[in-house]
Amino acid sequence: MSEGTMHRPAQRDQRRRTATVTTRRPRRALAALAAVPVLFLVAAGCSSDSDSGSASGSADNAAQEKDASAGETVSASPTVQAAAYKQLPESCAVLSTKTLTELVPKGVKSGKEGSSEDTGTRGSCSWTSLANNGVKGSQFRWLNVSLLRFESTATRGSAAELAQEYYESQVQDAQSVKDAKNTASEPIEGAGDDATSVRYDLKKKEGSFRQQTVVVRVENVVVTLDYNGAGFAGEKTPSAASLEKSAVKAVKEAVAKVSSANGEGSAGTPAPSNSPSQSASSSAKPSASPSTSGSKAASPSPSPSASKKN
């Protein structure tokens, strides 16, 4: 074999190795180049996620702050208006001797105070008069004044609103007395914030009675005055007009006593009351129902036979 023949395989081997080396290098370079876009995409994705997460987090924080602000607004509790009047006058002293002499001439000193667990929130007093004129007959009169004061509470509302509810229920009771005849009612001017006069006739075994009821609300206090009369043994029953006139005059005097007991000034302005938080006490005993200590507007007077003859 010639020398040139021996070199051919060696040259082929050399060419093969050279080709192998040359071929491997481009493949590695291509692999490296191929990896670059992948890394770029991964990095871009991470950057996009980070920016998106940051924007989403900012939006969530803003929403949470908005919700928190709204929660603070909703949770604010309203304040109940304080009661204007804090006390009641003595029930048997709300009418002057002069007024009592006109309404119950034979019973000025017969005042009987009704029972009450708390005289600061409720009270009543009644008077009975029987003017016995012998064979000329006799005149019977019965007078009752009841007072009910309300306090503001966080659960039930303001004292004035509670008093208004009770005032309306008292008027309704007076207007719906069983077996009453000739029932009539009308508003009264110049007595408190709201005032209504109700009258009717009622026949009992003792005779025919004429009943007059006047209900007044002044601030957070309700004053109910009942006045009735009858004529016996030939005496005439008193007129409805005369009873109403006397009752209205008396109830205005009682309302004035309520105001003065709470330090009302000459300008008609109540004395400053305590703060709303102090007045919003849940210890108030009166409820929107007739006082048990005084007579109900729907109840006629006691039998004249049971009264004292003065």
Side-chain angles (χ1 to χ4, degrees), residues 56-305:
S56 175
S58 299
D60 291 342
N61 290 337
Q64 290 175 359
E65 292 175 358
K66 184 177 180 181
D67 291 342
S69 177
E72 291 175 357
T73 302
V74 172
S75 62
S77 58
T79 301
V80 180
Q81 185 178 3
Y85 291 155
K86 298 298 181 183
Q87 57 187 347
L88 292 176
E90 184 182 348
S91 57
C92 288
V94 294
L95 299 178
S96 65
T97 302
K98 179 181 178 181
T99 299
L100 290 173
T101 301
E102 294 175 359
L103 273 66
V104 284
K106 295 297 182 178
V108 174
K109 297 181 180 181
S110 66
K112 182 179 180 181
E113 186 176 1
S115 60
S116 174
E117 295 179 358
D118 184 0
T119 57
T121 58
R122 67 176 68 223
S124 68
C125 192
S126 61
W127 296 262
T128 302
S129 174
L130 183 62
N132 190 348
N133 297 316
V135 295
K136 294 182 180 181
S138 59
Q139 285 288 338
F140 174 78
R141 298 291 185 273
W142 180 76
L143 173 66
N144 185 84
V145 178
S146 65
L147 312 168
L148 190 60
R149 186 181 67 83
F150 293 84
E151 276 286 357
S152 297
T153 69
T155 55
R156 296 173 59 203
S158 72
E161 292 173 343
L162 296 173
Q164 180 67 25
E165 292 177 5
Y166 180 70
Y167 160 79
E168 293 173 359
S169 71
Q170 286 288 84
V171 173
Q172 186 176 8
D173 287 346
Q175 294 171 335
S176 56
V177 174
K178 184 180 179 181
D179 298 328
K181 305 293 183 182
N182 305 319
T183 302
S185 60
E186 60 182 353
I188 300 299
E189 299 295 333
D193 299 299
D194 295 285
T196 301
S197 170
V198 182
R199 66 188 184 195
Y200 56 86
D201 297 336
L202 189 64
K203 191 172 183 178
K204 301 176 63 177
K205 64 180 181 179
E206 293 89 354
S208 296
F209 286 79
R210 199 150 268 159
Q211 170 76 27
Q212 178 65 54
T213 298
V214 183
V215 186
V216 180
R217 179 187 72 83
V218 53
E219 296 289 356
N220 56 309
V221 175
V222 177
V223 180
T224 303
L225 185 143
D226 291 303
Y227 184 46
N228 65 34
F232 301 120
E235 277 277 20
K236 294 181 179 180
T237 302
S239 68
S242 64
L243 287 178
E244 181 180 36
K245 181 179 180 180
S246 297
V248 170
K249 178 183 177 181
V251 81
K252 288 182 178 180
E253 186 175 319
V255 169
K257 274 294 181 67
V258 172
S259 299
S260 62
N262 286 274
E264 187 173 74
S266 58
T269 303
S273 58
N274 294 334
S275 63
S277 59
Q278 292 175 336
S279 64
S281 169
S282 60
S283 62
K285 295 182 180 179
S287 59
S289 59
S291 171
T292 57
S293 60
S295 66
K296 296 181 180 179
S299 300
S301 68
S303 171
S305 60

Side-chain angles (χ1 to χ4, degrees), residues 26-46:
R27 287 177 180 175
R28 291 176 182 173
L30 289 173
L33 290 174
V36 171
V38 175
L39 293 175
F40 178 79
L41 292 174
V42 172
C46 292

